[in-house]
Amino acid sequence: MIWKRQGKDGQSAPLPRLVLLALFFLGGVLMGQVLSGRVPDVTGDELGRYLTDYLRLDSGTERTAAAVLSAAVIYFRYPLLAFLLGFTSLGVLLLPCATVAYGFFLSFSVCCFTAAFGADGVLLALSVFGLRCAVTLPCYFLLAVPAWGTSAALASLSFGHGRRAAPVVYGRSCWVRFGGVTVALLAGMCVDLFLSPWLLRLILERILGAG
């Protein structure tokens, strides 16, 4: 859908949608912080054992395929979901829910690291989530904001039988945007695969005393 026509067609401008989705994301972050305080203390021990095993088993080549697949899922799940929801009227409700879930699980994971390892947990969280968030978060909003607009337009067509809503057009800009986001996600994923294990190993060796 062409953004310049949205105002003339009576659809909402992108800035209010961006603000609303950002508020949903912030709400998810706050929920994650609150609920992370109820995690049992044994979770910290389990996380420590998992990271220790990670150091011992990280041989580089044996887990390459699994690491690539895992990174692809992590990088593409929320942006791709946002893009696809733009093709259905259900996205009006599901996009805010996905945005809350994104903020919640990110915040919850970071809080678990900090609760288990204190100040060192901040460094661990940065090594694991820092680059990922720097890439995926802007990409998510770049796709989610227009997707929410097209989804709202589809909902208007469904409930108004097309009498009060302009037709929804997925123009060239929609696919160019998706292509650009895909390239950015792939680039970030490749850098993450090479950089994050090395950085994480350095921090874990410092915290856990692993060799």
Side-chain angles (χ1 to χ4, degrees):
M1 183 167 48
I2 301 177
W3 285 113
K4 293 182 179 180
R5 297 180 182 176
Q6 288 185 349
K8 296 179 181 180
D9 293 339
Q11 298 180 20
S12 60
L15 182 58
R17 294 199 300 273
L18 174 61
V19 172
L20 286 174
L21 287 176
L23 290 176
F24 282 119
F25 181 81
L26 179 59
V29 169
L30 295 176
M31 288 174 57
Q33 292 178 348
V34 171
L35 294 181
S36 65
R38 301 182 180 182
V39 175
D41 295 336
V42 294
T43 303
D45 298 332
E46 294 174 357
L47 183 58
R49 287 194 297 270
Y50 168 79
L51 294 175
T52 303
D53 293 338
Y54 173 86
L55 280 180
R56 186 169 57 251
L57 297 175
D58 184 20
S59 60
T61 57
E62 294 180 358
R63 65 184 194 90
T64 298
V68 171
L69 180 59
S70 176
V73 172
I74 290 172
Y75 267 78
F76 280 88
R77 56 184 174 183
Y78 287 110
L80 182 59
L81 176 62
F83 179 74
L84 294 177
L85 287 177
F87 292 88
T88 173
S89 58
L90 292 176
V92 173
L93 299 176
L94 295 182
L95 268 168
C97 294
T99 306
V100 170
Y102 190 178
F104 171 80
F105 287 112
L106 175 61
S107 175
F108 186 85
S109 300
V110 172
C111 288
C112 286
F113 274 99
T114 56
F117 300 102
D120 290 327
V122 177
L123 294 177
L124 276 174
L126 285 175
S127 67
V128 176
F129 305 112
L131 177 60
R132 181 193 310 173
C133 290
V135 175
T136 60
L137 194 57
C139 289
Y140 174 76
F141 281 100
L142 188 61
L143 294 178
V145 171
W148 207 15
T150 55
S151 180
L154 289 172
S156 297
L157 286 171
S158 299
F159 293 105
H161 303 288
R163 293 193 297 268
R164 297 182 180 179
V168 180
V169 179
Y170 299 92
R172 180 174 178 270
S173 61
C174 172
W175 302 106
V176 170
R177 184 185 304 110
F178 179 70
V181 165
T182 299
V183 172
L185 291 172
L186 286 173
M189 185 185 74
C190 292
V191 173
D192 201 349
L193 284 171
F194 284 100
L195 180 62
S196 291
W198 171 79
L199 182 59
L200 181 59
R201 172 174 284 276
L202 290 179
I203 297 174
L204 287 175
E205 288 176 349
R206 170 191 167 186
I207 297 174
L208 303 174

